[in-house]
Structures are given as C-alpha cells and as structure tokens.
Amino acid sequence: MQNVAVLERHEDPQPQTEDRRHLATIRRLLPTPTIVFMIIVTQLPLLVTLAYSLERWNLLRPDRRAFQGLSNYSKIITDPEFWTIIRNTLVLTISVVILTLVAGMILALLLNRNFIGRGIVRTLLITPFLLMPTVSAVLWKNVLFNPAFGLLAALFALLGLPRPDLLAEHPMISVIVIVVWQWTPFMMLILLAGLQSLAQDQVEAAQIDGGSPLAIFRHIVLPHLQRYIELAVLMETLFILSVFGVIFVTTSGGPGIQTTNLSYGIYQEAFQRWDIGGASALGVYAIILANIVMMLFVRVLRRGQNNGGSSA
Amino acid sequence: MTIKWRDLSLTLLTYIIAILIFFPILWMVLTSFKTEADAFAFPPQLFFEPTLNNWRTALFDTPFLEHLINTLIITIGSTLLAISFGIPAAYALAYYPTKRSDFTLLWLMSTRMLPPVGIIIPIFIIFRDLGLRDTHLGLIIMYTAMNLPLVVWMMRSFFLDVPYEVLEAARIDGVSLWQEFRYVAVPLVMPGLFATLLLCMIFAWNEFFFAFNLTVTDAAPVSVYISSFKTAEGLFWAKMSAAATASVLPVVIAGWFAQRQLVQGLTMGAVK
C-alpha cells in the first residue's frame, strides 16, 4: 500500500474476565521501558540544559560557578555574532530545503516512468544519502573542491578558467552544495513514493481530455503530492537545522564565522570555550527553533488523521 | 514517433544526471585503487594501473580496524537494545491502545526531532562524572535513544498491517499473550522487522555528532576516525579513499537492499 497513514488503530476487544483484565494490565505496561528510557536519556537532559543556561559556569574556571538568572540569554541576543549564526542557520536550512525539493521533484518525475535500468539509476541516486556525512565531507573537500588537484579545478582548467578555491571563496555556497547532494535522495524517495501512489487512471483521463503535461502536473499531481511534500520538507528541515559533520570537516565554521550554524556555534561555545552556561542558553534557543518547526509538523500529521487519509 | 523520441531523450537525461550525482563516489572508489602519485596527478587520471596497496595500508597499518570494531559494537549493541525496548512498546501501542497512546506516540516522535545540541551538554557532563565518556556503552545509550522512536513508530505500523481476523482467531482460541506475540504477530511482521533493523544500523553507523563529542580514542567509531582526514593534503588521498570506501561499504549495500523501507523509516512510517 502506498499511502500516508498515521495514527490509525485496531479496536481493543473488551476484557471479559478477571484473567483478561490482568492480561490487559500487562499489555499496557509494555511501553514502560521505552518511556522510562527516553525520559532519562532525552527529557531530563533537556531540563538540565535549561538549568545550566541560568548559570555562570565555565569548565576552565569551575570555582566561579554561580546562578545568574537570565543574563546568558540577554548576553546572547545582544551579541551580533548570534544573529549572524542564526542567519547562517536559516540560509543553510532554507536554501537546502528549497534546492533539494526542486531537484528531488525533477528526479522523482524522471524516475516515475518505465525505462530500462530504472532500478540501477534509482540505486545510484540514493547512494549519497547512505554515506556517512564525514565521508561525504572529506570526499568533497579533497576530491572535488581542492583548488590544486580537485576535479572541479580540473574542469575549470579544461575550460581555460582560473582554478577556484571554492571552499575559501564561497564557503556557504560550497557547504550548501554538499548538503544538497546528500539530501536530494531523501526528497526524491518520498516524492517518488507519493507519485507511485497516484492513481494512473486519473492522469490518463486528463491526457485523453487533452490536458497539457504542465496542467496535469499542476492540477492533479501537485495537489496529490501536497502531503508528501509537507512531510518531507518538515522532516528535512529538522535534520538540516542540526547539520554538524559537514561543517566541522570542510570549513570548521569559517572563514571567521561565515559558515557557523547554531549546532556548530554551540559546539564551539561548549567544547572549545568550555562556557557551559552560555552554550546551554544557545541550546535552548536551538530547541525553541526546532519546536516551532515541530509544531507545524504535528499539525500536518493531525490533519492527515482528520482527513481520513489512512487506509492501511 | 515524437513521443517515443521525447521518452528516449528523457531517459538519456536521467542516465546522465544519475552518473553525474554518483560520480564523486565512483571517483572515490577508483582513487582507492590508485598509487598516491596517480591519485593527485593533475589533470586527474581516469585510466591507471590499479593497486591494492592502499587498501592493505589503510586497513592494517592504521587504527582503522579498531575504529571499525567500535562502530560494529556500538551499532549492534544499540540496535539490539532499541529493538528489545521498542517492539513490546510498538506491540502494545498497536493492539492495546489506551487514551494516552496518541500522546505517547507524538511525544516519542518529538524526542527524535529534538536537536542533539539541546541535550549534548548535560550528557557530556553526566557521562564525564559517571565514567561513560569514551566508552561503547555511552554511545550505545545515545543511539538507542536515537533509534527507539523509529522502532516504535515503524514496528507499530507493521503490526497494524497484520489482518485483524488473524489475531482475533488466535485470541478466540485462547492463546497466551506471549504465544500471540511470538507465533502469530512476529512471523507476519518479519520483513518489517528486518527493515527496521537495517535502518537502525544505518543511522547508528553514520552518526557523527554524539560520537565526536562523547568519545576520544578508545571508543571512537569510524565516522570520527574519518573526520580526522579533514586536514589530509594531496599525499594521502589514495589511502584516505580506501578507508572511506571501506567504512561506507556495509551501509551502502544494506541501503541498496532496503530502498523501499528507507522511505518508511525516514518518515517514521508515515509514508509507506
């Protein structure tokens, strides 16, 4: 079944005897280990981050640790560097999401046809997504972007152009290119699943009625894909907000802070300057940002449920 | 006739795009079989005398294998733990939902979407105080937490795909909860379970942020080892390519076989 199915369920048969009621209790306890584990490993640290963010605490000067209220927060928002980092995070996330959406859509449409070698082409296209981010980053940095020996330098030389040092001259664009390369398969796969769940007779009927390919795409395919697009965009946004490995390997956030995003900034604050209080306050800002995206996400899921978009 | 030509040229375009996108990876694999001199020859060499020396050096004369073993231990450990916590939860949430089930599911999903930077600092401090830094157990704990929501959401959706009549028939026959689980439900969700296992392993294998911040050398997985090539210049490209190829090979092959399930896993089972 190709469809978007969320939060559907089987009905619980009524327990009839003492015995069955006892069983029901056991069954309801089954999620407990998961819930307890997740509270300990993810929710408690969240609260501790909140607590740390209210402290003056640098690991290099642990003797000076003290509660200081909201001053980490106010210090951060009055720091122009913070706004550069926020802007970098948004530029990176938004441009990656838009570019992968366009590229993924084109590839999904191309793959949603019958042709020889379709399986192989699809396999080749998803491979960048399977590489560990550090391998992708090392590969692009050394093999493609290297100004002296890289493939792109060779291409430019072949065209008689000067060899560019892309990572130094256009650091943000270079990072965006790498992340787009990694994440286009993600969009492609989800949109392809969406395309394949579209009833073909609808498209064929429109073709017989003389609908142009563009009109069919706009009035039949796109509305059908809307939920897939929303889902993919929101999922990807959350992941791209936290990009770290590629930046660490290729630019280390530089030159200056030109490619420092929120994740990388927090890493530097915490593990290079050892400012636990300040980094935690930054972490809280990152959580707020992610929560805004997440609220949108839950709304989309809920809407799917109410529309009865599930039939699995 | 024109439609046929259009179709053919679209197919050709698809081939070209696929080759262009895959080319960096192909180049990495080719480079791993070059001599270091060929690897950074300019202009780049497409044809060359292949050698296995880099593979030998990268695999056996460097700490690569130790890090690969770390990755294996952490990946397998965290996947097993996530499965053993997550499957009972998924089972109960699928077949025995309560009023709180929807909330539990959405809450679990929200933990998956939490930015890692939001919790890394306390985790770092707690791990330091408990002696969990730079241990396999530490990363196993983090990756279990990373993969548990995925296991619950995916396995729940597979359990829901089991025809209800089958379960009902078993229940009328009076089977125990364990028998219902072991002999009725599990065999029917085997393909789904396999897909879930694969995805957990892919995510754990490739993870970098927690690995990088919570390990030093003893427990550092291969993703951290590879990141140490960030300053590699010309001379070690071939060996670097061999190590990089070796470290992605298992996951790439697993992912090729689990293409369809990849979609499900990436969307927590929301898209099938």
Side-chain angles (χ1 to χ4, degrees):
Chain A
M1 283 300 276
Q2 301 275 348
N3 60 28
V4 178
V6 186
L7 295 179
E8 81 271 33
R9 62 159 60 126
H10 291 318
E11 286 306 313
D12 188 13
Q14 282 297 311
Q16 278 139 12
T17 63
E18 274 301 308
D19 215 28
R20 283 202 73 79
R21 209 163 296 146
H22 175 66
L23 261 181
T25 319
I26 298 176
R27 286 159 180 154
R28 292 195 169 112
L29 284 176
L30 289 176
T32 312
T34 294
I35 294 171
V36 171
F37 185 87
M38 292 306 285
I39 288 176
I40 293 173
V41 184
T42 69
Q43 307 295 282
L44 292 181
L46 214 57
L47 293 177
V48 179
T49 302
L50 213 59
Y52 285 170
S53 73
L54 303 173
E55 293 186 52
R56 179 179 68 210
W57 183 17
N58 191 305
L59 283 184
L60 300 175
R61 295 294 307 273
D63 49 309
R64 291 184 54 208
R65 185 175 175 181
F67 180 83
Q68 59 169 15
L70 293 172
S71 78
N72 282 326
Y73 290 95
S74 53
K75 214 183 298 168
I76 289 170
I77 52 168
T78 51
D79 183 353
E81 269 200 14
F82 172 68
W83 295 105
T84 310
I85 289 173
I86 290 286
R87 201 192 59 206
N88 290 343
T89 308
L90 293 178
V91 165
L92 176 64
T93 307
I94 293 170
S95 39
V96 167
V97 169
I98 291 174
L99 291 170
T100 53
L101 181 61
V102 173
M105 179 71 84
I106 293 170
L107 289 173
L109 288 169
L110 284 173
L111 279 184
N112 192 37
R113 304 170 314 120
N114 277 317
F115 62 89
I116 300 163
R118 189 167 95 159
I120 295 167
V121 166
R122 186 170 120 141
T123 301
L124 292 182
L125 285 173
I126 65 161
T127 311
F129 191 72
L130 298 170
L131 300 199
M132 53 177 80
T134 45
V135 164
S136 301
V138 163
L139 173 65
W140 276 82
K141 182 179 187 176
N142 291 315
V143 175
L144 284 125
F145 286 153
N146 184 297
F149 313 109
L151 285 176
L152 287 172
L155 193 67
F156 274 72
L158 196 72
L159 299 170
L161 296 164
R163 302 176 193 175
D165 187 354
L166 290 168
L167 270 169
E169 289 159 25
H170 306 285
M172 184 54 99
I173 293 175
S174 305
V175 170
I176 289 171
V177 167
I178 301 174
V179 182
V180 167
W181 182 73
Q182 288 180 302
W183 280 87
T184 298
F186 171 85
M187 283 288 184
M188 181 195 84
L189 278 173
I190 292 177
L191 296 180
L192 189 58
L195 285 174
Q196 287 173 347
S197 72
L198 176 63
Q200 272 310 304
D201 47 356
Q202 230 184 337
V203 178
E204 276 158 21
Q207 278 167 343
I208 291 165
D209 290 345
S212 72
L214 205 65
I216 293 174
F217 179 74
R218 172 137 161 49
H219 296 291
I220 296 175
V221 178
L222 217 47
H224 171 79
L225 283 184
Q226 190 194 348
R227 290 198 19 78
Y228 290 86
I229 294 173
E230 288 170 346
L231 198 70
V233 164
L234 288 168
M235 284 308 277
E236 193 181 290
T237 305
L238 286 166
F239 282 111
I240 307 294
L241 281 174
S242 295
V243 162
F244 178 80
V246 171
I247 293 174
F248 171 77
V249 170
T250 54
T251 65
S252 303
I257 55 164
Q258 282 185 51
T259 53
T260 302
N261 68 352
L262 211 39
S263 291
Y264 197 79
I266 292 168
Y267 154 76
Q268 285 186 311
E269 200 66 23
F271 303 119
Q272 290 184 344
R273 296 184 202 116
W274 301 104
D275 178 0
I276 298 300
S280 298
L282 269 176
V284 173
Y285 282 118
I287 293 164
I288 293 171
L289 192 62
N291 266 290
I292 295 171
V293 180
M294 209 143 47
M295 267 152 49
L296 293 169
F297 187 80
V298 169
R299 190 166 300 169
V300 170
L301 282 181
R302 283 252 160 84
R303 200 169 76 217
Q305 189 186 3
N306 295 340
N307 288 351
S310 59
S311 60
Chain B
M1 201 58 190
T2 51
I3 286 183
K4 203 181 156 201
W5 277 115
R6 209 188 62 194
D7 230 41
L8 221 62
S9 48
L10 281 179
T11 302
L12 201 66
L13 179 72
T14 315
Y15 289 156
I16 293 170
I17 295 175
I19 289 166
L20 279 179
I21 289 182
F22 188 74
F23 191 73
I25 300 169
L26 178 70
W27 195 257
M28 174 177 82
V29 177
L30 287 178
T31 306
S32 76
F33 294 106
K34 291 179 179 176
T35 62
E36 295 293 355
D38 280 342
F40 71 109
F42 195 89
Q45 311 258 297
L46 192 55
F47 301 99
F48 56 92
E49 190 100 19
T51 165
L52 280 174
N53 280 337
N54 310 305
W55 279 78
R56 214 171 295 131
T57 318
L59 295 188
F60 302 113
D61 300 345
T62 67
F64 175 81
L65 275 186
E66 292 159 40
H67 295 294
L68 191 73
I69 290 167
N70 288 340
T71 294
L72 272 173
I73 294 171
I74 294 160
T75 301
I76 293 172
S78 65
T79 304
L80 289 180
L81 206 57
I83 290 280
S84 41
F85 282 166
I87 289 185
Y91 189 72
L93 288 166
Y95 297 146
Y96 305 101
T98 64
K99 286 193 197 85
R100 280 198 315 267
S101 292
D102 282 0
F103 173 78
T104 307
L105 280 162
L106 288 174
W107 170 71
L108 276 175
M109 179 181 282
S110 78
T111 63
R112 176 78 169 104
M113 296 173 177
L114 200 69
V117 284
I119 59 169
I120 185 66
I121 297 161
I123 298 275
F124 176 84
I125 305 267
I126 293 164
F127 274 25
R128 188 191 65 170
D129 295 348
L130 294 179
L132 282 170
R133 256 191 90 203
D134 208 13
T135 64
H136 296 136
L137 182 62
L139 280 189
I140 288 175
I141 291 172
M142 293 322 294
Y143 293 174
T144 303
M146 175 176 81
N147 281 331
L148 247 177
L150 182 87
V151 172
V152 173
W153 272 81
M154 280 187 77
M155 288 312 296
R156 177 177 165 278
S157 85
F158 290 123
F159 281 131
L160 285 174
D161 287 343
V162 172
Y164 191 55
E165 301 73 44
V166 177
L167 281 171
E168 205 173 27
R171 283 176 197 165
I172 288 167
D173 288 346
V175 299
S176 72
L177 181 64
W178 169 249
Q179 287 169 327
E180 172 189 309
F181 173 73
R182 174 68 187 81
Y183 297 106
V184 183
V186 166
L188 289 169
V189 297
M190 263 328 219
L193 179 59
F194 182 66
T196 310
L197 278 169
L198 271 179
L199 274 163
C200 286
M201 293 172 105
I202 292 176
F203 283 125
W205 191 282
N206 286 348
E207 207 282 335
F208 177 65
F209 183 75
F210 286 121
F212 175 66
N213 286 309
L214 298 175
T215 63
V216 187
T217 47
D218 291 352
V222 108
S223 61
V224 173
Y225 173 67
I226 296 286
S227 76
S228 68
F229 294 136
K230 65 184 260 178
T231 49
E233 285 299 333
L235 289 172
F236 303 107
W237 281 9
K239 280 189 246 348
M240 186 195 80
S241 298
T245 306
S247 61
V248 299
L249 206 60
V251 158
V252 167
I253 291 171
W256 283 352
F257 282 106
Q259 286 183 38
R260 205 160 280 283
Q261 289 80 4
L262 212 53
V263 184
Q264 234 167 328
L266 293 169
T267 58
M268 318 285 289
V271 171
K272 290 188 190 174

